[in-house]
């Protein structure tokens, strides 16, 4: 126990010195906290008992002065600044009340009621700003109103009807983008195109590109009388081609000189090795199918039919299968020849599978383009 005494004394001395340094640097709040902690450990510490009232008084004058200065302004949001100052003073009140020794020299002021009053005024200010913005009726003002009502609710949960008005502002500020069915110019690939469109809509929603932009599948909103889209996104695949299967056959002869046991033996009875040439013919077959296409998309404003964005995204996919055989002596094959062996002759995938593979790079590029466009919208 006694061996830790020097360490405890050093900590106490450091705490005291730290409080004094903070006070002289004008960091009054931190100085109050430091003196209170010291008194929690050593209730009779003379320096802390002497300097704590000075630090508390200086901190109060600082925060009260800032609160009064804020109140004298015409800023709509002044009550949030006032609330911040009141909360800082309440933190000092809570700290001092945690130490009986600190309470013996300082009678801190309770700002709980003042905080609630400032909070009420701050919420009302945000609420009124939201109402004024909402009355303007345009999307940008509605988005700003959403932020004001949200701020009011953050200050005072369930404040008046702010939650309902926030939802109303959101609906007005929301840009509804309807994604059309994809024109493929071929009913054979329509199912695959629908898969492409479904994945795209889900992806755009999951990315949460913009709080005020939502994407809707045209099929899901068709027939809804009250639904009014803001934008329409048309897509169609152009110049989609699944090429013919190209077969490239190649053969070449290989040979190698190797040593094998001969029919003779040397004077010691050991079989004499002889060099022979081994030969083989390698047959390689490569099947290739190239598919390509372009996705054309256009985003228009439903109200004035103005084109907001238009672009074409190309894509391609090459399917390939290679297999090899040989005829002759396997020993003539090199390591590279052996790697080319194996495989089997398989038919190309059906066109709809090739179409799906083709759409993968198009999908990635399109999703990235739309994220970039709507993130700044």
């Amino acid at each position: 126990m006694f061996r830790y005494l020097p360490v405890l004394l050093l900590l106490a001395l450091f705490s005291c010195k730290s409080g004094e340094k903070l006070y002289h640097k004008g960091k009054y709040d931190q100085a109050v906290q430091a003196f209170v902690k010291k008194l929690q450990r050593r209730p009779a510490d003379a320096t802390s008992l002497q300097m704590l009232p000075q630090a508390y008084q200086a901190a109060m004058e600082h925060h009260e002065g800032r609160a009064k200065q804020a109140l004298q302004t015409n800023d709509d949001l002044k009550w949030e600044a006032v609330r911040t100052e009141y909360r800082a003073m309440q933190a000092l009140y809570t700290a001092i009340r945690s130490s009986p020794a600190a309470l013996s020299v300082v009678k801190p002021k309770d700002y709980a009621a003042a905080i609630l009053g400032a909070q009420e005024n701050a919420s009302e200010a945000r609420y009124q700003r939201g109402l004024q913005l909402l009355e303007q009726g345009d999307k940008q003002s509605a988005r700003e109103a959403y932020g004001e009502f949200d701020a009011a609710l953050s200050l005072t949960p369930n404040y008046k009807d702010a939650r309902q008005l926030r939802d109303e502002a959101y609906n007005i500020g929301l840009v509804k983008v309807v994604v059309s069915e994809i024109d493929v110019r071929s009913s054979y690939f329509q199912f695959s195109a629908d898969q492409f469109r479904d994945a795209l809509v889900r992806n755009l929603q999951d990315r949460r590109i913009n709080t005020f932009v939502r994407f809707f599948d045209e099929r899901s909103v068709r027939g809804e009388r009250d639904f009014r889209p803001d934008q329409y996104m048309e897509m169609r695949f152009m110049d989609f081609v699944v090429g013919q299967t190209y077969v490239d056959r190649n053969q070449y002869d290989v040979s190698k000189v190797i040593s094998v046991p001969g029919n003779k033996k040397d004077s010691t009875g050991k079989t004499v090795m002889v060099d022979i040439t081994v030969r083989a013919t390698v047959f390689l077959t490569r099947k290739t199918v190239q598919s390509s296409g372009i996705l054309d998309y256009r985003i228009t404003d439903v109200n004035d039919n103005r084109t907001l964005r238009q672009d074409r995204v190309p894509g391609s996919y090459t399917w390939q299968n290679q297999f090899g055989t040989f005829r002759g002596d396997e020993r003539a094959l090199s390591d590279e020849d052996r790697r080319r062996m194996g495989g089997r002759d398989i038919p190309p995938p059906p066109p709809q599978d090739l179409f799906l593979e083709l759409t993968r790079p198009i999908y990635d590029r399109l999703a990235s383009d739309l994220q970039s466009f709507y993130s700044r919208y």
Side-chain angles (χ1 to χ4, degrees):
M1 174 66 180
F2 292 102
R3 62 179 177 176
Y4 295 113
L5 189 57
V7 177
L8 294 174
L9 290 173
L10 284 173
L11 289 173
L13 180 62
F14 176 77
S15 176
C16 183
K17 292 292 184 181
S18 176
E20 290 182 73
K21 288 181 179 179
L22 289 168
Y23 175 80
H24 291 301
K25 288 181 179 180
K27 299 180 178 180
Y28 304 122
D29 292 54
Q30 297 177 44
V32 169
Q33 298 285 356
F35 289 134
V36 169
K37 288 181 180 178
K38 179 66 177 295
L39 290 171
Q40 288 173 335
R41 294 192 298 268
R42 296 182 61 192
D45 183 76
T47 302
S48 296
L49 290 171
Q50 178 186 357
M51 295 198 67
L52 175 59
Q54 302 174 42
Y56 178 73
Q57 182 63 31
M60 293 292 286
E61 290 177 358
H62 172 73
H63 290 298
E64 284 283 8
R66 288 174 61 89
K68 289 179 181 178
Q69 185 178 10
L71 286 172
Q72 291 171 358
T73 68
N74 294 322
D75 186 357
D76 292 342
L77 305 181
K78 60 186 177 183
W79 284 105
E80 292 181 32
V82 172
R83 173 175 172 264
T84 298
E85 301 304 326
Y86 286 171
R87 292 179 74 176
M89 290 187 280
Q90 185 68 4
L92 299 179
Y93 169 83
T94 302
I96 292 172
R97 285 187 59 84
S98 69
S99 168
L103 273 174
S104 69
V105 294
V106 175
K107 301 304 179 187
K109 183 177 179 180
D110 186 354
Y111 278 84
I115 291 173
L116 288 176
Q119 196 162 286
E120 179 78 14
N121 290 331
S123 300
E124 180 63 18
R126 290 285 188 177
Y127 181 85
Q128 291 299 328
R129 283 162 62 99
L131 288 177
Q132 293 173 11
L133 288 165
L134 195 57
E135 287 176 358
Q136 297 183 29
D138 61 279
K139 285 189 178 295
Q140 184 56 42
S141 297
R143 293 180 178 190
E144 294 175 16
Y146 174 91
E148 297 295 340
F149 292 128
D150 193 57
L153 291 167
S154 296
L155 290 163
T156 306
N158 300 318
Y159 187 74
K160 294 185 175 179
D161 58 345
R163 191 176 303 279
Q164 176 183 342
L165 292 172
R166 184 184 64 176
D167 294 342
E168 181 182 337
Y170 176 78
N171 289 327
I172 296 174
L174 181 65
V175 174
K176 305 180 186 72
V177 184
V178 170
V179 181
S180 73
E181 293 188 68
I182 301 179
D183 180 8
V184 193
R185 303 293 174 86
S186 171
S187 60
Y188 187 75
F189 299 113
Q190 189 63 55
F191 177 74
S192 299
D194 290 342
Q195 289 180 295
F196 176 94
R197 190 261 309 275
D198 294 344
L200 178 67
V201 173
R202 285 195 306 269
N203 181 285
L204 293 174
Q205 290 292 69
D206 292 343
R207 290 191 185 196
R208 299 183 182 276
I209 298 172
N210 187 318
T211 302
F212 292 98
V213 177
R214 286 190 62 191
F215 300 88
F216 298 86
D217 188 323
E218 185 177 37
R219 293 169 301 180
S220 67
V221 297
R222 185 179 294 151
E224 293 188 16
R225 295 182 180 180
D226 296 332
F227 183 83
R228 295 292 182 270
D230 300 288
Q231 297 177 9
Y232 192 71
M233 179 177 172
E234 300 174 86
M235 294 184 291
R236 64 171 177 167
F237 277 104
M238 304 171 57
D239 302 327
F240 174 61
V241 175
V242 175
Q244 298 295 323
T245 302
Y246 294 96
V247 181
D248 181 21
R249 293 187 175 88
N250 186 28
Q251 73 177 66
Y252 57 90
D253 296 324
V254 295
S255 63
K256 184 187 299 183
V257 177
I258 62 174
S259 295
V260 298
N263 297 324
K264 298 181 180 180
K265 295 183 180 181
D266 59 16
S267 58
T268 63
K270 186 177 179 180
T271 301
V272 176
M273 302 297 289
V274 296
D275 291 340
I276 64 171
T277 301
V278 292
R279 294 180 173 80
T281 301
V282 176
F283 302 92
L284 295 178
T285 302
R286 181 186 293 112
K287 287 186 174 182
T288 303
V289 179
Q290 292 184 331
S291 54
S292 62
I294 297 174
L295 176 70
D296 181 278
Y297 74 93
R298 181 176 62 175
I299 302 172
T300 57
D301 188 308
V302 173
N303 296 316
D304 56 16
N305 205 33
R306 179 167 47 95
T307 299
L308 303 175
R309 183 176 179 83
Q310 185 170 13
D311 202 357
R312 290 184 173 184
V313 183
S316 62
Y317 173 71
T318 301
W319 175 86
Q320 190 175 92
N321 179 54
Q322 178 176 293
F323 56 95
T325 59
F326 74 94
R327 184 174 62 217
D329 195 322
E330 184 177 357
R331 294 173 298 176
L333 302 178
S334 66
D335 292 340
E336 179 64 26
D337 296 329
R338 294 178 190 278
R339 281 192 291 271
R340 293 174 175 175
M341 295 300 101
R344 61 189 180 88
D345 187 5
I346 59 175
Q352 60 267 32
D353 290 352
L354 293 173
F355 179 87
L356 285 176
E357 292 296 334
L358 161 70
T359 62
R360 294 183 193 279
I362 294 178
Y363 172 88
D364 293 337
R365 162 77 183 280
L366 177 61
S368 178
D369 286 355
L370 294 177
Q371 178 166 355
S372 177
F373 175 68
Y374 283 109
S375 63
R376 303 188 301 269
Y377 202 81

